[in-house]
């Protein structure tokens, strides 16, 4: 199977490409090496073993040429993370939504009818919560005054009691609370509309907190694991916002690649667009991540600083049942094992670093 992997030089895309090749498939990579994510002007060493085209996912001519040569598509290209501020919004929309629309249009022209789409847990907004009296209820956005006062957990909108976090299933309401989140949900909706119009199939893989080798570093678009590691490498303790008790599901990038492979090889499932949580199934906290990484690196202890970034959510942890049922996917890398390895994993060159700098 020849697979077009958009964003194939990136953190997750490169691992997908490696696994495809290992399993006897032929990845063809498309990446424009965005400066915000790539610290070097050339493709990193780990993707040079694969065929790669440098180009824009939104370029119809590039897409038409590549789609004529492949069997299916794995769409990983995107701007990720919180970014800097709302002035990032046009770039998020251009790279995430307009580029996805261009890809779907090109797939229609070429007759392709199957897509694996990299989505994200951020489409849910807050996680799933229950009230002792009222059962499952939506968590309202947190008020700045509550965050400033150290009241981080959401309260029941009906009685005001503190809510308990639960695992979130794929049929939970979708309520994006950041620019990035809004563009990821738009990607899912565009793909669903395309699938309904063409009779196609989309696997929308909702990644939870992905970490591992080749993460970008020293950039506002990096994930929290990379940010913590950068602090420790500077000799500083990781700065943990809120009280460190925010619950997350940290999933290793090699497990994410395995979920993509399972989706590419699968013809199971019902419906035009099937959302699937890609997660470890292991509930941990941001404080756990900071403390485990600091211990593994022999660095200073984390510093809990309070506050919260706009768009941050309190708890979001995933139900892994659907992935196991429809894709046969179960994560294999445990939290402690993965985070200890991450302490010395090779990362992408820092953004703005000279060529060749580690």
């Amino acid at each position: 199977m020849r697979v077009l992997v958009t964003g194939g030089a990136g953190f997750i895309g490169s691992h997908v490409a490696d696994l495809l090749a290992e399993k006897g498939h032929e990845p063809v990579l498309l990446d424009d090496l965005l400066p915000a994510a790539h610290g070097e002007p050339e493709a990193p060493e780990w993707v040079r073993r694969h065929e790669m085209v440098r180009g824009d996912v939104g370029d119809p001519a590039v897409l038409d040429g590549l789609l004529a040569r492949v069997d299916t598509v794995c769409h990983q290209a995107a701007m990720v993370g919180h970014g800097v501020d709302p002035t990032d919004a046009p770039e998020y929309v251009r790279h995430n939504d307009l580029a996805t629309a261009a890809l779907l249009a090109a797939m229609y022209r070429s007759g392709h009818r199957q897509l694996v789409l990299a989505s994200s847990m951020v489409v849910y907004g807050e996680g799933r919560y229950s009230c002792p009296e009222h059962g499952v209820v939506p968590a309202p956005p947190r008020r700045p005054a509550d965050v400033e006062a150290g009241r981080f957990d959401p309260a029941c909108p009906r009685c005001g009691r503190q809510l308990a976090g639960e695992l979130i299933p794929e049929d939970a309401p979708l309520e994006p609370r950041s620019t990035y989140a809004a563009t990821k949900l738009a990607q899912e909706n565009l793909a669903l509309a395309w699938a309904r119009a063409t009779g196609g199939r989309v696997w929308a893989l909702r990644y939870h907190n992905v970490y591992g080798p080749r993460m970008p570093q020293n950039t506002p678009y990096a994930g929290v694991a990379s940010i913590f590691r950068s602090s420790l490498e500077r000799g500083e303790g990781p700065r943990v916002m809120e009280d460190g008790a925010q619950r997350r599901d940290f999933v290793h990038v090699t497990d994410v690649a395995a979920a993509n492979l399972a989706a590419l090889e699968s013809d199971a499932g019902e419906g035009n667009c099937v959302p699937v949580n890609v997660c470890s199934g292991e509930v941990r906290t941001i404080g756990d991540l900071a403390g485990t990484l600091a211990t593994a690196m022999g660095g200073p202890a984390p510093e809990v600083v309070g506050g919260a970034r706009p768009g941050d959510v309190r708890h979001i942890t995933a139900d892994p049942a659907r992935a196991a049922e429809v894709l046969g996917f179960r994560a294999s890398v445990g939290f402690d094992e993965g985070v200890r390895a991450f302490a010395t994993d090779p990362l992408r060159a820092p953004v703005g670093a000279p060529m060749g700098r580690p």
Side-chain angles (χ1 to χ4, degrees), residues 215-234:
M215 282 189 85
Q217 55 181 319
N218 295 343
T219 162
Y221 307 96
V224 66
S226 176
I227 293 170
F228 286 168
R229 179 169 146 174
S230 293
S231 295
L232 288 160
E233 288 175 339
R234 294 192 302 268

Side-chain angles (χ1 to χ4, degrees), residues 2-87:
R2 299 194 81 201
V3 182
L4 174 61
V5 183
T6 70
F11 169 40
I12 296 173
S14 65
H15 283 279
V16 173
D18 284 353
L19 185 58
L20 284 167
E22 177 187 327
K23 298 301 182 181
H25 302 298
E26 187 176 350
V28 179
L29 281 50
L30 173 61
D31 203 299
D32 59 0
L33 300 178
L34 280 177
H38 297 268
E40 298 180 348
E42 303 297 332
E45 176 276 331
W46 50 74
V47 299
R48 294 173 194 166
R49 70 196 79 171
H50 308 300
E51 178 185 353
M52 193 189 102
V53 173
R54 184 167 186 176
D56 189 339
V57 179
D59 187 331
V62 170
L63 291 171
D64 288 343
L66 287 171
L67 289 169
R69 302 169 43 220
V70 300
D71 302 305
T72 190
V73 181
C74 184
H75 184 30
Q76 303 294 318
M79 278 184 68
V80 302
H82 273 273
V84 178
D85 57 43
T87 62

Side-chain angles (χ1 to χ4, degrees), residues 201-288:
R201 162 61 56 82
V202 178
W203 291 101
L205 303 184
R206 293 175 179 166
Y207 303 158
H208 285 253
N209 289 79
V210 187
Y211 72 99
R214 307 176 189 170
M215 282 189 85
Q217 55 181 319
N218 295 343
T219 162
Y221 307 96
V224 66
S226 176
I227 293 170
F228 286 168
R229 179 169 146 174
S230 293
S231 295
L232 288 160
E233 288 175 339
R234 294 192 302 268
E236 303 168 2
R239 290 172 57 85
V240 179
M241 302 196 78
E242 302 185 25
D243 58 0
Q246 309 95 296
R247 292 192 294 274
R248 297 291 189 270
D249 185 304
F250 298 99
V251 58
H252 198 267
V253 67
T254 56
D255 282 325
V256 175
N260 275 273
L261 178 65
L264 287 163
E265 293 182 335
S266 176
D267 58 2
E270 297 181 358
N272 296 115
C273 184
V274 183
V276 178
N277 286 328
V278 176
C279 60
S280 69
E282 190 174 351
V283 176
R284 294 288 185 145
T285 69
I286 297 290
D288 289 339

